[in-house]
Amino acid sequence: MTDPKSFLTSIFNAAVAAADPEKTIRNHLPAKPKGRTVVIGAGKGSAQMAAAFEKVWDGPIDGLVVTRYGYGARCERIEIIEAAHPVPDAAGLEASRRLLEKVRGLTSDDLVVALISGGGSALLPSPAPGLTLADEIAVNEALLASGAPIAAMNTIRKHVSTIKGGRLAAAAHPARVVSLVVSDIPGDNPALVASGPTVPDTGSRADALASIAAYGMKLPASVMAHIQSPAADAPRPDDPRFGGNEVHLTASAAVSLEAAAAEAKRLGIEAVILSDAIEGEAREVGGVHAAIAREVATRNHPFAKPVLILSGGETTVTLRAKGKGGRNSEFLLAFAIGIDGVNGIDALAADTDGIDGSENNAGAFADGSTVARMRAAGVDAKAMLAGNNAWTAFNAVGDLFVPGPTGTNVNDLRAILVR
């Protein structure tokens, strides 16, 4: 293995290709309606999903999809709106209003196709009556800093919204709604992707309040008052308005990890998948992965070298400072510290949507020399980790991974090569 970075990049590319919208949507096309076909959507991969749907759908359509700034795609019949992520903005607020308007007044002869991918939660601000965009921004910022798992975050989000938690599908009733979902959620519950604008779940106000308390979130008084009131209740899955709807998972971390493993084997390296649903504090998960890699490197156990160790899921970061980074770079900095000085280990941790946190990198590379190279560049790896400043640390040694927007989003990919 003369070029581990190229090998790991090919593994990432194989995982992303397995979630290519044109391939996956073609296998999940709904039956054509007697009436109109309206396409809606939200998420970091939804513009590419819209472009793919246009190519494979044989019939008239119109629609509206919102995605992150810079993640747009060329469409002929579906309008693409760009808005802010991970903190909502006024463009997202307008997009939410227009999406709700788009599905109102439809009939039982009409079809709504919802293209949903990760990132839709931030892209669809639609504050409940009595709340403001500023309130929803404050909620989002508190969630991102809390260290709470994504399921808890999205349960809270749907209780301060007029579009999440199935409400967008309810607004489309009596039209049939078919949701095509690219999952970035550990466990692949489609109701939690983008906080489920078209797919309700059983999470309650009580669940939301329990998570707020458990993670010590400080939310505006107006938000707390709303969540504590019956007005916050979201539609339940047994609501008759959802009776004829369909939900299809078109891509997931599990499928992409299998594709990554197959690519490794094609290149002559055996692969093992630890899990597609790993959650927890990024730095702690990084430490555990480092311990496994060290065990393989030094004892050839529990896996025989050479081997590629894969995992997916979505870790979280509890913000302790205002450094630059994201959950993948934070994971990998902790991992690098854990394998410091150990030869024969190379790793990539990256978000499959192409963006990790607020910067332009998807993640980073690391090996047994990373911490020493950071030290030579005047960077203290442990201090950077303590300050949530992993981006700065990896940037200092030229190890950021910047593939650009990928057009999909099936969560995080961690690939560890032990030679």
Side-chain angles (χ1 to χ4, degrees), residues 293 297 305 307 339 341-346 367-368 416-419:
K305 298 178 289 187
V307 65
I339 63 162
V342 181
N343 293 324
I345 301 175
D346 296 270
D367 58 38
I416 303 165
L417 174 64
V418 186
R419 294 175 280 148

Side-chain angles (χ1 to χ4, degrees), residues 25-221:
I25 284 176
R26 189 181 297 274
N27 297 327
H28 298 280
L29 292 178
K32 291 181 180 177
K34 294 179 182 178
R36 298 172 56 199
T37 299
V38 177
V39 178
I40 58 174
K44 287 185 278 186
S46 292
Q48 286 74 15
M49 294 173 76
F53 190 85
E54 281 194 346
K55 288 182 181 180
V56 300
W57 183 255
D58 180 21
I61 54 172
D62 70 280
L64 178 69
V65 163
V66 58
T67 191
R68 177 179 172 148
Y69 291 123
Y71 278 51
R74 183 177 178 82
C75 291
E76 300 296 332
R77 293 168 287 171
I78 301 170
E79 182 183 356
I80 307 298
I81 296 178
E82 297 183 4
H85 180 282
V87 178
D89 69 353
L93 186 67
E94 175 64 8
S96 295
R97 185 194 68 77
R98 290 189 59 196
L99 281 169
L100 286 165
E101 189 64 30
K102 196 79 176 174
V103 301
R104 289 196 174 106
L106 298 177
T107 74
S108 57
D109 288 335
D110 298 324
L111 169 68
V112 174
V113 179
L115 307 175
I116 306 299
S117 62
S121 294
L123 294 165
L124 291 176
S126 186
L131 302 181
T132 65
L133 177 60
D135 288 326
E136 198 156 345
I137 290 172
V139 169
N140 212 56
E141 290 176 336
L143 293 175
L144 293 173
S146 70
I150 190 65
M153 290 189 192
N154 287 355
T155 297
I156 295 168
R157 283 171 168 143
K158 78 171 191 174
H159 284 95
V160 296
S161 175
T162 62
I163 198 169
K164 301 179 177 78
R167 293 180 178 89
L168 183 55
H173 183 76
R176 180 168 62 104
V177 179
V178 176
S179 298
L180 305 182
V181 181
V182 174
S183 173
D184 68 334
I185 299 292
D188 293 331
N189 180 354
L192 295 177
V193 179
S195 302
T198 58
V199 185
D201 78 333
T202 58
S204 66
R205 284 191 294 121
D207 296 327
L209 290 167
S211 293
I212 292 167
Y215 291 93
M217 299 179 199
K218 304 297 183 185
L219 303 183

Side-chain angles (χ1 to χ4, degrees), residues 266-286:
R266 189 186 71 80
L267 296 172
I269 302 293
E270 287 299 314
V272 294
I273 298 173
L274 299 181
S275 171
D276 65 356
I278 291 177
E279 297 182 271
E281 192 72 24
R283 62 183 63 191
E284 295 172 4
V285 176

